[in-house]
Amino acid sequence: MFDKVLVANRGEIALRVIRACRELGIRSVAAYSSADEDSLAVSGADEAVRIGPEHPRRSYLSIPAMVEAAALSGADAVHPGYGFLSEEPDFAEVCQNAGLSFIGPPHDVLAQLSDKSRARELMASCGLPLLPGSLQPLRDLDESWRTADQIGYPLIIKAAMGGGGRGMRIVRCPAELPGAFRQACADAHAFFGDGRVYAERFVQAARHVEVQVFCDAYGAVVCLGERDCTIQRRNQKLIEETPAPGLPPALVERICQAAVAGARAARYVGAGTFEFLVDSDHRFYFMEVNCRIQVEHPVTEVATGIDLVQEQIRIAAGERLGFDQSDVRPQGAVIECRVNAEDPERQFTPAPGLLTGFQPPGGPFVRVDTHCFPGMRISAAYDSMLAKVIVWAPGRAEAIARMRRALGEFRIDGPGVHTTAPFLDRVLDHCDFRCAEHTTGLATHLLDGSR
């Protein structure tokens, strides 16, 4: 087992990893920017190393700064959390060359799967269903025209190295294609430093279902069940739940089997999430693999009783999986809501500021993962998520009621600070959501209907 782990991240996931390390008897080191000097991660870790100024490019996205922090602290492993450098193959390789264990997939697996077009090609070769589209990046606008003619409209252009819902442009008719192609390329370069894009058919009335897998270096592959993450804004998730409501169990089983097959084909190691779209005819299609711990991992933890972050660390330390498929027995219904500092009435514009009040909800079967506290200043330089509220109940209706109660208890105050909590309550109360007839367009529909 590791002696000391550098946490190469910030916010609630940094605090989550620090807590997992403490329970495993591992010392933790918080890598922090100047903006996070007073953070709970810094005070909660055994040590802390300042890595740079507030801007992420000079701190949390700086590979040299992270490796130097590991060397200064004497860490023997690095946990990248999610976002930032978590799916960066170069970071994993540099860590390996520096004698550090990267708590995530090997760099060659990351290189293969973080490139969405390469991942699609691999999954197609092992029989996973794909939406019609390009298996290779589009070389120019002429090729995008030819691809559009083949797959039809509407289509979506995506960044090959994309993630987090960024770098995507929907094209509903030929007139929109040139501008969307150029903008998608520009976005891909700006967000990910790689301007390559690919195209696939856009499914308008879709459900978004993902499957959590865990794999060790000895060939074991275990599926920990599915999560429905259909409620989104700008292709970024707002509400996640398990089990996926309203879908035939046989369909969910086929999706889970496809994820396991994909993990085996990629020779995956660690925690991974295979993402799928499900259309109105209950046909499913592979989208991408997230090669890291997910924001919504608590949904699976609460349902299964398995600590996913601790399991990540054990696998990276060379241990075998601590459970097999027969040990995975999800219980009840679990829902997670992301409470962000955003104003839904202004297209979810970030609304940072000073938190003059912050009181999370409590009560039975309610978990809140957060890094916030009264007096904390929310920086506009980072992701706007303030907290994740996770509830468990024996059934979905009870879980919805419990979540609405929990969101109603949440008290977040500050000049200019708005949150998504009231909007999330509207979604939970919508008849389509309650009847499990919702699609990825529900959040947009609610906002458009309010104007």
Side-chain angles (χ1 to χ4, degrees):
M1 183 50 73
F2 303 123
D3 176 62
K4 188 184 293 187
V5 170
L6 178 82
V7 183
N9 215 298
R10 67 175 301 277
E12 68 86 18
I13 189 59
L15 195 58
R16 173 74 183 86
V17 174
I18 288 165
R19 287 167 170 161
C21 287
R22 178 149 296 153
E23 291 179 15
L24 289 171
I26 301 170
R27 289 183 292 169
S28 59
V29 183
Y32 70 95
S33 75
S34 57
D36 288 329
E37 186 172 3
D38 297 325
S39 68
L40 293 180
V42 169
S43 61
D46 296 292
E47 302 174 35
V49 178
R50 184 178 179 275
I51 53 171
E54 180 179 48
H55 197 286
R57 289 287 174 194
R58 299 175 62 192
S59 52
Y60 296 108
L61 287 169
S62 171
I63 293 176
M66 287 297 182
V67 174
E68 182 181 6
L72 287 172
S73 64
D76 51 351
V78 175
H79 195 303
Y82 53 69
F84 293 129
L85 296 170
S86 62
E87 294 182 281
E88 176 53 62
D90 290 345
F91 184 42
E93 186 172 19
V94 168
C95 285
Q96 178 181 313
N97 293 339
L100 296 164
S101 293
F102 180 80
I103 301 175
H107 69 87
D108 57 335
V109 174
L110 274 175
Q112 179 173 239
L113 297 180
S114 61
D115 184 326
K116 310 306 182 189
S117 58
R118 287 182 64 189
R120 278 169 53 84
E121 191 172 11
L122 173 63
M123 295 304 137
S125 71
C126 65
L128 270 66
L130 303 183
L131 286 165
S134 54
L135 288 179
Q136 299 293 332
L138 300 170
R139 288 171 292 187
D140 51 34
L141 181 57
D142 286 341
E143 187 171 7
S144 72
W145 280 118
R146 291 192 294 271
T147 302
D149 288 341
Q150 292 170 2
I151 66 179
Y153 296 89
L155 59 86
I156 185 167
I157 301 175
K158 296 182 177 181
M161 300 299 292
R166 294 178 171 180
M168 299 182 185
R169 294 283 163 169
I170 298 171
V171 183
R172 301 189 183 277
C173 64
E176 296 178 357
L177 183 61
F181 175 78
R182 296 187 184 98
Q183 190 60 55
C185 291
D187 289 346
H189 188 271
F191 290 137
F192 310 109
D194 187 325
R196 294 176 304 139
V197 298
Y198 67 96
E200 65 183 19
R201 181 176 295 164
F202 178 65
V203 181
Q204 299 192 73
R207 293 277 294 277
H208 189 159
V209 177
E210 61 187 25
V211 178
Q212 178 73 66
V213 299
F214 258 84
C215 314
D216 65 22
Y218 305 95
V221 180
V222 175
C223 169
L224 278 76
E226 85 284 1
R227 296 184 292 254
D228 184 293
C229 45
T230 297
I231 300 299
Q232 304 177 7
R233 54 91 170 94
R234 298 198 306 269
N235 299 306
Q236 294 181 311
K237 302 163 188 172
L238 290 172
I239 299 175
E240 297 97 355
E241 62 179 307
T242 195
L247 296 182
L251 171 63
V252 173
E253 179 62 24
R254 291 199 302 275
I255 295 173
C256 290
Q257 289 174 356
V260 169
R264 291 192 189 281
R267 297 181 180 178
Y268 201 86
V269 177
T273 303
F274 283 69
E275 305 213 2
F276 300 87
L277 277 181
V278 180
D279 68 16
S280 57
D281 294 320
H282 287 170
R283 294 172 297 199
F284 71 94
Y285 306 93
F286 168 80
M287 289 175 57
E288 62 186 40
V289 186
N290 287 312
C291 304
R292 51 174 167 78
I293 198 73
Q294 293 279 89
V295 175
E296 59 270 24
H297 75 273
V299 172
T300 300
E301 288 186 328
V302 171
T304 64
I306 297 172
D307 188 312
L308 303 194
V309 178
Q310 288 192 18
E311 202 64 35
Q312 268 192 302
I313 295 170
R314 291 191 182 100
I315 290 171
E319 297 184 14
R320 294 181 180 272
L321 270 176
F323 52 88
D324 58 29
Q325 195 63 62
S326 65
D327 297 318
V328 181
R329 301 187 184 93
Q331 301 291 321
V334 185
I335 301 175
E336 175 181 296
C337 283
R338 303 186 191 188
V339 178
N340 300 331
E342 297 172 350
D343 186 352
E345 299 304 318
R346 298 175 58 210
Q347 293 295 310
F348 294 96
T349 302
L354 179 68
L355 290 178
T356 56
F358 189 84
Q359 182 179 328
F365 306 108
V366 176
R367 166 178 166 178
V368 180
D369 285 14
T370 184
H371 61 292
C372 297
F373 54 89
M376 172 183 166
R377 183 169 294 279
I378 307 163
S379 171
Y382 306 122
D383 184 83
S384 61
M385 189 171 68
L386 302 178
K388 303 181 304 196
V389 182
I390 307 100
V391 303
W392 179 93
R396 186 171 186 261
E398 298 96 325
I400 291 173
R402 180 160 287 153
M403 179 61 80
R404 296 192 68 197
R405 187 269 297 169
L407 290 174
E409 286 184 5
F410 220 142
R411 296 291 178 266
I412 303 173
D413 299 304
V417 175
H418 297 267
T419 81
T420 54
F423 180 77
L424 294 168
D425 183 69
R426 287 180 59 200
V427 173
L428 293 168
D429 193 40
H430 194 278
C431 59
D432 285 356
F433 184 83
R434 288 179 170 274
C435 297
E437 295 177 353
H438 55 297
T439 69
T440 50
L442 178 58
T444 301
H445 169 75
L446 275 174
L447 286 177
D448 288 346
S450 67
R451 293 190 178 93

